[in-house]
Amino acid sequence: MSNVILINVDELWLKGRNRAHYVKLLKKYIRRSCKLHLENFSLKNENQRVVLRTKESISDDLFSAITKISGIYSIQKARESSLDMEEIKKVCLEEFEYCLEKKPSIKTFKIDTKRVNKTFPKGSMEFSKDVGAVILIKHGEKVSAKMKGPDLLIQVKINQLSAFITSHKVLGVGGLPVASSGFGLTMLSGGFDSPVASYKMITRGMHQTFAFFHAYPFVGNEVKDKILALGKQIASYQQGGLLIVFPFGEVQKFIAKNCREEYRTILFRWAMIKCCNHIAKEVNTSAIVTGDSLGQVSSQTLENMRLMDEASDQIILRPLIGSSKREIINLSEKIGTHDISIIPHDDACALFAPKNPIIRPNLGYWYEITQKISSELDELIVKLLPTCERLSLSSIRQEQGQ
Amino acid sequence: MLYLDYAATAPLLPSVKDIYIRSLDEDFANPHASHSLGRRLSTEVDLIRKEILQDLKLSGQVIFTGSATESNNLVLSQFAQKKVVTSLVYHPSLLNRVRDEISKLSVNDIGQIDIEKSEELICQAELISLQWVNNQFGTIENINEVCEFIRSKNSECWIHIDAVQVLGKTPFNLKDDNFDSLSLSGHKIGAPKGIGCLILKEKHLEKMNPLFYGGNQEFGLRSSTLSTPLVKAFGQALKLSASLTEEYFQSARENRQKIIQILKNVFKEKAGFPFEERSCSNIVGFFIKGLSSDVFMRCMEERNVYLSSSSACSSKNKKENLALKELGYDLKMQKSFIRLSFGQNLAEEELELLEESLEKAWEDIEFLIS
Ligand SMILES: Cc1ncc(COP(=O)(O)O)c(C=O)c1O
């Protein structure tokens, strides 16, 4: 008998017409993970879900790789049986005994049958009772049936061609399959916010390329190692990706020489947005993702964000705009970026922090200075682009862009 | 490229490299073997031991080790639970093993021992570890004076000297009575990494315990098969640096003054040189007020000029520079400390390159402290 994993799809009911495309994408990602771990396997669409079958054992690594695939509602390890009632009962008993052995404290259980196959000769309730009876005959002195809140729930799913028996369920990350909503460029920094912002967009089906603005020589190359670790962790939810390390120190020198000290921070940000617009052309992305959260630092004001939007041809997405720091940190723990984000690193912002940063830019000066340096800055960016380091965030061979 | 981090490690000297490579080919036998191949090597190695003592005008026994860190630890390990006296301005290999238990010698503002203030401690000490030349500030200790003072107050006390930064940086003029043990390192003087030595007075040989056990090589103090090529390379590098004359040091000091003048031209009053009074000829330790030395180091690295923003050993430790802290510098000052160190005198073009790189780097970062 094969090992079976049932993969239930999230949110797909929303998108009636695109459904086939979505499932196809999802299967592509599942297949990619499987290929790294299994020699032989099959993936089929059956009754709104994807079924993975293999004769080989399914490692924890493979299982957790699948749980990370965006667009999956839940994953269940299951046993498969023919539609023969006696065989189903036998498999249920095996599953029960397997669970009892793993967790001897089980005192109560419940069998829950769902019939998609209406030709199955018995009703769901009735069949559940039959299965329960088989278990009680053998284990009745140790366990009893319980309908509400049992220690162990065994589900029996009766389909057209076979039945699945499972007592296991792990929730996936949910959302939409990666790349089903397009391609974005995410500004990654060493803090908590940007990886979380990226994760949120991955689960909305956006495949991302990452840009890191490396303030070398103002910060050391250790920062790059940290960003790489963060990028790899995030990219594991989209099966890899590309990190572009932009040599931003040159841009900072240029801006510092040309502007008033108190405008440095916001002009750096503006220059990053410009860089992203240039990079986006090269990597074929159509939105910029940032970790901005309204009011979190003095530069993240509505007015400043509007100035950034003005400077960008591409839309700027800010998935954390309404999130509190606590929400962001909680999510970072869940997705495994928290412990990387807290590694201390050189902070260019602190280094450059003007003594009196402006909260509200003087628009007269803003437009004057940005117009004055814009084209020279563009030239500098274009000159620097070919010198960017391009680092792979995956251990898997990666199909780039579209 | 301009390499100005000789105090961290020096490139191989050409003649050392020749001897080393030849020896790698020819001297592959185990010097502890009893056949003639091995015996030839062991005779050669013993000759080098003698030459090292002659070159340094010291008496005792030379025990080859893997590094000066090992030599320092070998001595310190004899003094567990005993009264160890030393200073936090020294290299961590003199401190880590005993950091929590040591008694601290008083130092003046350039890191030299204040013997009067330390007298009481000196009288109680069983081991006093001294560092002759400070690896960060370049300050030279008045080593003979300090040792004689110790001997006069406490004749039983073991005097250990870390002389790693001495050769090539200041004349080696230690009086033979003034030490019990002394450590040296190959890679600071143009030999490969992986060899150092401990020079030990004969009377102590018997009492010493090794750090690890095995075939009892090196008088039972350092079990491991000795690398003849490393010993030969070390011997050659040591011979060269011990034979440097007073003229060399004179010209090195002049060279150093030129470098300081360049630094002053570029940084004006922003640069401070507190260690000038008693600095060795090949290290310039200085501060640039308000500037992060890490940033400065990287700005120079971009121009292929390599210097140190803190001692190489501690540069991973981003937090504190314990030596500077001990001298009373706050964290901000600690982070603005820069060390230049060089091997031989810089040529005119190199001095020009240095000045030009400093100017450009300064242009890039001046805005950070304006
Ligand atoms: C004064 C001093 N002692 C000891 C050492 C350690 O030498 P080694 O690298 O041979 O262990 C160094 C070098 O970092 C040093 O400067």
Side-chain angles (χ1 to χ4, degrees):
Chain A
M1 208 61 233
S2 294
N3 290 309
V4 176
I5 290 191
L6 308 178
I7 298 160
N8 302 303
V9 182
D10 197 24
E11 286 198 30
L12 296 183
W13 60 85
L14 294 175
K15 301 258 183 177
R17 275 194 317 143
N18 286 332
R19 179 171 185 102
H21 173 58
Y22 280 36
V23 174
K24 218 169 115 194
L25 263 176
L26 200 55
K27 274 169 73 180
K28 177 174 112 182
Y29 294 113
I30 299 169
R31 182 170 299 115
R32 239 193 236 167
S33 288
C34 290
K35 275 190 181 156
L36 293 177
H37 296 88
L38 301 173
E39 296 280 329
N40 284 302
F41 62 92
S42 71
L43 274 183
K44 292 217 175 73
N45 295 358
E46 291 178 20
N47 300 304
Q48 321 269 347
R49 63 172 79 89
V50 178
V51 180
L52 164 66
R53 289 184 181 84
T54 176
K55 297 251 187 279
E56 297 153 48
S57 77
I58 291 168
S59 66
D60 291 348
D61 283 351
L62 172 56
F63 196 80
S64 75
I66 295 175
T67 58
K68 279 184 159 183
I69 294 171
S70 182
I72 293 176
Y73 173 71
S74 68
I75 306 101
Q76 302 181 282
K77 287 185 188 166
R79 294 168 197 264
E80 188 165 23
S81 153
S82 72
L83 291 176
D84 175 72
M85 284 196 273
E86 291 315 307
E87 192 192 334
I88 297 176
K89 286 178 200 163
K90 193 177 120 241
V91 175
C92 286
L93 184 63
E94 279 167 19
E95 176 68 15
F96 176 84
E97 288 174 344
Y98 169 80
C99 294
L100 192 63
E101 193 185 313
K102 271 213 322 207
K103 198 175 154 207
S105 64
I106 290 173
K107 290 273 171 291
T108 57
F109 74 98
K110 174 181 176 180
I111 307 294
D112 182 36
T113 305
K114 286 219 167 63
R115 286 187 320 156
V116 175
N117 181 345
K118 299 296 175 196
T119 65
F120 191 70
K122 283 226 170 171
S124 300
M125 297 277 272
E126 200 185 350
F127 188 66
S128 294
K129 272 193 199 130
D130 290 357
V131 176
V134 172
I135 289 170
L136 285 170
I137 287 168
K138 202 160 164 207
H139 299 280
E141 71 280 13
K142 277 177 285 176
V143 297
S144 57
K146 187 177 176 193
M147 293 304 107
K148 284 227 167 88
D151 296 340
L152 174 66
L153 174 69
I154 296 180
Q155 292 178 295
V156 182
K157 302 174 194 256
I158 312 243
N159 298 324
Q160 297 322 28
L161 299 173
S162 67
F164 295 118
I165 292 88
T166 176
S167 61
H168 169 264
K169 182 184 220 165
V170 172
L171 290 183
V173 299
L176 304 172
V178 172
S180 64
S181 334
F183 297 82
L185 179 67
T186 298
M187 291 164 56
L188 199 58
S189 74
F192 291 112
D193 304 347
S194 54
V196 172
S198 169
Y199 172 82
K200 294 196 82 152
M201 295 318 296
I202 289 174
T203 63
R204 294 322 298 157
M206 176 183 273
H207 183 280
Q208 292 152 62
T209 297
F210 301 89
F212 169 53
F213 294 93
H214 189 13
Y216 181 91
F218 304 107
V219 302
N221 279 321
E222 309 85 72
V223 184
K224 204 167 70 187
D225 300 337
K226 174 176 175 178
I227 299 293
L228 191 59
L230 270 179
K232 283 193 168 154
Q233 179 60 22
I234 277 301
S236 70
Y237 291 94
Q238 58 168 24
Q239 299 194 338
L242 181 70
L243 173 66
I244 297 181
V245 181
F246 191 96
F248 200 60
E250 293 304 314
V251 173
Q252 288 170 308
K253 287 177 199 166
F254 170 78
I255 289 178
K257 275 181 200 150
N258 285 290
C259 81
R260 287 196 209 149
E261 181 194 333
E262 66 272 27
Y263 280 78
R264 260 183 223 157
T265 313
I266 179 167
L267 281 169
F268 288 168
R269 189 86 186 154
W270 171 75
M272 287 182 199
I273 296 289
K274 273 169 107 51
C275 291
C276 281
N277 277 275
H278 284 279
I279 297 171
K281 281 189 207 127
E282 179 195 310
V283 296
N284 265 325
T285 52
S286 42
I288 296 166
V289 179
T290 78
D292 291 335
S293 160
L294 186 60
Q296 191 186 104
V297 294
S298 61
S299 61
Q300 290 171 5
T301 60
L302 289 176
E303 181 159 27
N304 286 356
M305 286 188 225
R306 182 179 65 82
L307 295 178
M308 297 305 121
D309 285 349
E310 275 179 13
S312 183
D313 292 335
Q314 301 218 330
I315 52 166
I316 301 176
L317 299 176
R318 302 177 174 91
L320 304 182
I321 195 69
S323 301
S324 71
K325 197 76 195 174
R326 191 190 315 162
E327 286 167 326
I328 294 169
I329 290 177
N330 285 348
L331 193 48
S332 78
E333 274 170 359
K334 196 183 126 200
I335 65 177
T337 54
H338 175 273
D339 290 0
I340 310 171
S341 291
I342 58 175
I343 299 170
H345 65 99
D346 287 344
D347 183 6
C349 300
L351 195 66
F352 286 111
K355 277 166 223 98
N356 309 299
I358 35 131
I359 311 286
R360 184 159 296 141
N362 169 320
L363 290 181
Y365 178 71
W366 174 258
Y367 288 117
E368 180 198 318
I369 185 72
T370 50
Q371 262 161 36
K372 187 171 137 225
I373 63 177
S374 185
S375 62
E376 208 178 327
L377 180 60
D378 280 325
E379 274 168 37
L380 178 62
I381 294 171
V382 169
K383 194 184 98 197
L384 292 171
L385 261 184
T387 71
C388 291
E389 252 183 293
R390 288 159 170 78
L391 304 170
S392 163
L393 295 177
S394 87
S395 46
I396 315 171
R397 192 179 44 82
Q398 183 64 30
E399 300 159 15
Q400 263 318 311
Q402 279 101 329
Chain B
M1 179 180 87
L2 191 51
Y3 180 74
L4 300 178
D5 200 15
Y6 274 69
T9 197
L12 274 187
L13 290 168
S15 71
V16 171
K17 185 172 159 190
D18 290 345
I19 287 177
Y20 183 56
I21 288 176
R22 193 167 349 114
S23 178
L24 281 173
D25 263 336
E26 294 172 359
D27 303 337
F28 60 87
N30 188 325
H32 316 293
S34 35
H35 47 63
S36 58
L37 281 184
R39 287 225 304 281
R40 173 176 66 82
L41 298 188
S42 108
T43 310
E44 286 183 11
V45 166
D46 286 342
L47 188 64
I48 294 171
R49 291 185 212 276
K50 286 215 187 71
E51 286 174 359
I52 289 177
L53 293 168
Q54 280 164 13
D55 292 339
L56 301 178
K57 301 192 178 63
L58 299 178
S59 71
Q61 197 47 266
V62 175
I63 295 146
F64 290 112
T65 61
S67 66
T69 298
E70 184 187 332
S71 305
N72 288 341
N73 275 276
L74 180 56
V75 172
L76 286 174
S77 68
Q78 314 299 319
F79 290 87
Q81 271 115 45
K82 297 213 173 130
K83 181 84 175 172
V84 177
V85 172
T86 186
S87 166
L88 293 183
V89 300
Y90 292 164
H91 188 269
S93 59
L94 289 172
L95 302 171
N96 281 353
R97 196 179 174 104
V98 289
R99 170 155 290 145
D100 299 331
E101 299 129 55
I102 58 162
S103 304
K104 297 192 300 180
L105 292 161
S106 300
V107 291
N108 65 14
D109 54 8
I110 57 172
Q112 291 175 310
I113 307 299
D114 184 328
I115 46 179
E116 258 92 58
K117 282 197 197 142
S118 304
E119 182 172 342
E120 204 182 317
L121 265 184
I122 287 174
C123 292
Q124 304 159 355
E126 289 169 276
L127 167 68
I128 297 183
S129 300
L130 301 169
Q131 188 174 320
W132 187 342
V133 170
N134 190 287
N135 51 307
Q136 298 195 55
F137 332 135
T139 300
I140 308 169
E141 183 58 85
N142 300 315
I143 197 74
N144 285 314
E145 188 190 325
V146 173
C147 293
E148 275 151 26
F149 183 81
I150 296 172
R151 289 280 193 245
S152 73
K153 297 290 166 188
N154 181 352
S155 59
E156 294 298 298
C157 179
W158 182 304
I159 299 178
H160 174 65
I161 298 174
D162 178 323
V164 169
Q165 298 287 357
V166 176
L167 289 169
K169 301 195 179 76
T170 189
F172 195 102
N173 54 4
L174 180 68
K175 295 201 186 115
D176 192 35
D177 288 338
N178 284 346
F179 79 104
D180 292 275
S181 59
L182 177 140
S183 26
L184 295 169
S185 175
H187 72 96
K188 308 276 184 184
I189 56 173
K193 287 145 201 71
I195 183 137
C197 75
L198 183 71
I199 301 180
L200 187 67
K201 289 295 186 196
E202 297 272 358
K203 62 177 176 183
H204 297 309
L205 263 181
E206 285 296 306
K207 294 180 287 189
M208 295 270 289
N209 293 311
L211 287 171
F212 43 83
Y213 297 85
N216 281 331
Q217 291 91 343
E218 298 297 294
F219 312 93
L221 289 180
R222 217 279 181 170
S223 290
S224 288
T225 302
L226 196 58
S227 161
T228 310
L230 283 175
V231 168
K232 286 191 171 176
F234 183 34
Q236 170 69 7
L238 197 136
K239 188 175 288 307
L240 292 175
S241 52
S243 67
L244 293 170
T245 58
E246 182 47 38
E247 285 92 81
Y248 167 79
F249 287 111
Q250 187 52 42
S251 71
R253 281 190 284 269
E254 284 162 16
N255 194 251
R256 187 175 176 281
Q257 282 314 316
K258 287 188 197 156
I259 290 172
I260 291 181
Q261 196 50 52
I262 288 174
L263 290 166
K264 287 183 174 161
N265 292 346
V266 175
F267 297 112
K268 310 279 174 340
E269 73 291 347
K270 290 253 175 359
F273 300 86
F275 305 112
E276 283 318 278
E277 195 185 324
R278 280 287 288 154
S279 191
C280 68
S281 57
N282 298 47
I283 294 180
V284 181
F286 66 106
F287 296 90
I288 304 179
K289 224 169 118 201
L291 184 70
S292 151
S293 53
D294 280 335
V295 173
F296 180 67
M297 182 260 294
R298 290 188 292 262
C299 285
M300 294 297 281
E301 153 188 293
E302 281 191 299
R303 299 177 164 78
N304 260 334
V305 180
Y306 298 90
L307 44 81
S308 171
S309 55
S310 53
S311 164
C313 305
S314 59
S315 60
K316 283 270 167 214
N317 175 354
K318 289 264 161 192
K319 290 182 199 89
E320 287 191 311
N321 182 321
L322 294 175
L324 288 170
K325 188 180 173 197
E326 182 69 6
L327 294 191
Y329 291 101
D330 64 15
L331 197 59
K332 208 159 172 223
M333 284 298 275
Q334 290 167 30
K335 289 194 164 168
S336 69
F337 179 74
I338 296 163
R339 179 186 72 187
L340 307 184
S341 52
F342 18 92
Q344 63 282 45
N345 295 342
L346 300 189
E348 269 322 308
E349 314 83 86
E350 289 177 312
L351 289 170
E352 276 165 27
L353 175 64
L354 176 63
E355 178 150 20
E356 193 188 319
S357 309
L358 286 167
E359 274 167 0
K360 292 236 176 78
W362 182 231
E363 236 176 72
D364 277 350
I365 51 179
E366 197 180 357
F367 73 90
L368 289 174
I369 55 174
S370 53

